[in-house]
Amino acid sequence: MPDLTPSLAYLHERITRRPRVMLILGSGMGALADELEEPVRVPFADIPGFAPATVAGHRGLLVAGRLEGVECIALQGRYHVYEGHAPDVVTLPIRVLAALGARTLLVSNAAGGVNPGFRAGDLMLLDDHINLMWRNPLIGAVVPGDERFPDMSEPYDRELQALAERVARAQGIRLVRGVYCAVAGPSYETRAEIALIRRLGADAVGMSTVPEVLVARALGVRVLGISLISNAAAGLTAKPLTHEEVLEASAAAAPRFGALIRGCLRELARLPEVEVA
Ligand code: HPA
């Protein structure tokens, strides 16, 4: 378990207001962080304990600021298991932002659509997940403050889901709902793997999010998850899949994604805050 102290000391010097919400912005969805008011920008590479981000479309920047009246810390970019990072490195930002006081996580990702009813560009509310990464960031000695055996019967907060669905309906944004399956990557799936993943009950597949959600839940942080369906998964389309296609679809959907997140933050601002542990 990495020591949070150096990261926290560094961030405490730069970020003076307590964040209420942490926003993880997936591939091609980082633009929203540029809309934060009174921003304080900190490159991951400058934060002691944080590894530099390496993926195209992921800037590796932490931005603290206000959005829709809510103090947020947005991560433009994240760490992935496929980069070779240990699961505790991937999830260090969650621990650090929770320690800064954020008790709600809005996590997003780009994902392949496994459900044949989904279209590229759809936004999917995560109802549940399947962890096929074969890794779990909670393995090891119990970190003080963590649950040893966190309940996962409802990783995605029901109240936040209802709130997101209300916002989407009010704004006329198509928001599907489904199960996200996490794989380690970095290769995209074979057609046979997608057929398997569909049979397992997943609606979308991607290479992130689940490690962060597991740590958030172990800390008692509430989670809202949103996938941008950037492409039809292997075998559901005749075309080979590229990272560029994923980034293009994300960029095209970014305004809708931004409107949904802003709407959710506006509503969140009206809810009483859960107790800070
Ligand atoms: N598979 C896995 N990860 C992804 C995909 C996909 O089809 N699209 C975006 N991220």
Side-chain angles (χ1 to χ4, degrees):
M1 163 59 207
D3 180 13
L4 305 187
T5 320
S7 321
L8 278 174
Y10 185 84
L11 290 173
H12 270 310
E13 270 180 27
R14 286 156 182 84
I15 299 167
T16 48
R17 287 191 295 259
R18 184 174 75 78
R20 177 167 175 190
V21 170
M22 41 182 139
L23 275 172
I24 301 185
L25 302 170
S27 290
M29 297 145 102
L32 193 62
D34 296 329
E35 298 176 22
L36 265 54
E37 295 157 33
E38 297 177 50
V40 177
R41 295 193 171 84
V42 188
F44 289 178
D46 292 354
I47 307 173
F50 278 44
T54 60
V55 189
H58 284 267
R59 271 202 266 177
L61 201 61
L62 180 155
V63 187
R66 218 172 18 262
L67 196 58
E68 300 293 343
V70 180
E71 292 296 340
C72 294
I73 293 189
L75 302 183
Q76 269 180 324
R78 56 146 63 86
Y79 301 112
H80 302 84
V81 163
Y82 64 70
E83 293 171 88
H85 298 304
D88 58 353
V89 173
V90 171
T91 52
L92 179 74
I94 302 293
R95 294 193 177 280
V96 169
L97 301 191
L100 289 176
R103 305 301 298 157
T104 301
L105 167 64
L106 303 190
V107 61
S108 63
N109 58 61
V114 177
N115 183 324
F118 289 180
R119 306 191 287 254
D122 277 347
L123 297 174
M124 182 187 92
L125 190 61
L126 271 68
D127 185 34
D128 206 343
H129 72 227
I130 298 173
N131 184 4
L132 292 191
M133 287 182 161
W134 312 119
R135 288 165 184 80
N136 188 312
L138 303 175
I139 290 174
V142 189
V143 177
D146 276 14
E147 281 265 355
R148 170 77 297 185
F149 302 111
D151 173 63
M152 283 293 149
S153 61
E154 237 168 62
Y156 302 91
D157 189 271
R158 289 270 165 232
E159 190 181 7
L160 296 181
Q161 286 185 42
L163 180 151
E165 286 186 321
R166 262 197 323 274
V167 169
R169 216 173 304 121
Q171 301 199 10
I173 296 172
R174 176 172 147 98
L175 180 64
V176 295
R177 173 188 269 273
V179 175
Y180 176 86
C181 177
V183 294
S187 44
Y188 288 119
E189 303 69 39
T190 64
R191 285 175 288 124
E193 285 164 351
I194 292 300
L196 171 76
I197 287 167
R198 180 67 188 147
R199 283 191 187 196
L200 292 177
D203 298 288
V205 60
M207 304 173 192
S208 68
T209 302
V210 165
E212 292 105 314
V213 171
L214 293 173
V215 167
R217 292 310 302 141
L219 292 167
V221 168
R222 307 169 85 188
V223 182
L224 175 71
I226 297 183
S227 287
L228 166 82
I229 305 299
S230 56
N231 56 278
L236 300 177
T237 164
K239 283 190 304 173
L241 192 53
T242 66
H243 185 55
E244 287 66 38
E245 174 188 353
V246 169
L247 293 182
E248 276 168 30
S250 306
R256 251 181 312 129
F257 170 74
L260 180 63
I261 295 294
R262 277 178 172 275
C264 289
L265 289 172
R266 260 195 314 274
E267 293 286 315
L268 260 182
R270 302 216 295 250
L271 289 182
E273 195 169 5
V274 288
E275 283 299 299
V276 178

